[in-house]
Amino acid sequence: YLTFYIMIYYLCVSYCQVFTILFFVFNFIKNKTKVIKKFRKLYYYFFFVFSTLISPPDVFSQVFISGLITLTYELLILSFLFKTKLIR
């Protein structure tokens, strides 16, 4: 059981780090929607690679995890765009 909890701990830490990095990246490029659109495909590619590395070799779990990460990414973009539009 100990290895399971250690693996869950490292998984949670890695997820928190990824979302924190995304938060700071979006905070850094608030008004640069062209940059976001330009690198969107690259971010999707990295999300799929990241989900492949952290999930078991089951295709369903890889697609599910990458879908959740992609959905979170899009929601962060949407929230930052609303935040910048409401502030101005």
Side-chain angles (χ1 to χ4, degrees):
Y1 292 109
L2 186 61
T3 59
F4 172 72
Y5 288 118
I6 291 172
M7 186 173 25
I8 293 297
Y9 170 75
Y10 286 126
L11 186 67
C12 290
V13 167
S14 65
Y15 278 149
C16 290
Q17 288 178 356
V18 167
F19 292 126
T20 304
I21 289 170
L22 281 176
F23 179 77
F24 285 123
V25 164
F26 289 137
N27 202 10
F28 180 69
I29 53 172
K30 284 182 183 176
N31 297 326
K32 298 181 181 180
T33 57
K34 290 182 183 180
V35 173
I36 293 172
K37 288 180 182 179
K38 181 180 178 183
F39 291 115
R40 182 176 276 173
K41 292 178 187 177
L42 185 65
Y43 286 134
Y44 287 167
Y45 177 72
F46 285 129
F47 293 155
F48 281 108
V49 169
F50 181 72
S51 68
T52 303
L53 292 175
I54 64 168
S55 68
D58 180 24
V59 176
F60 177 73
S61 63
Q62 291 174 356
V63 171
F64 181 72
I65 291 173
S66 61
L68 285 176
I69 295 172
T70 306
L71 181 68
T72 306
Y73 170 75
E74 291 295 329
L75 289 174
L76 282 173
I77 289 175
L78 187 64
S79 67
F80 281 121
L81 288 177
F82 280 144
K83 185 178 176 182
T84 57
K85 297 292 181 183
L86 292 176
I87 290 174
R88 290 181 180 207

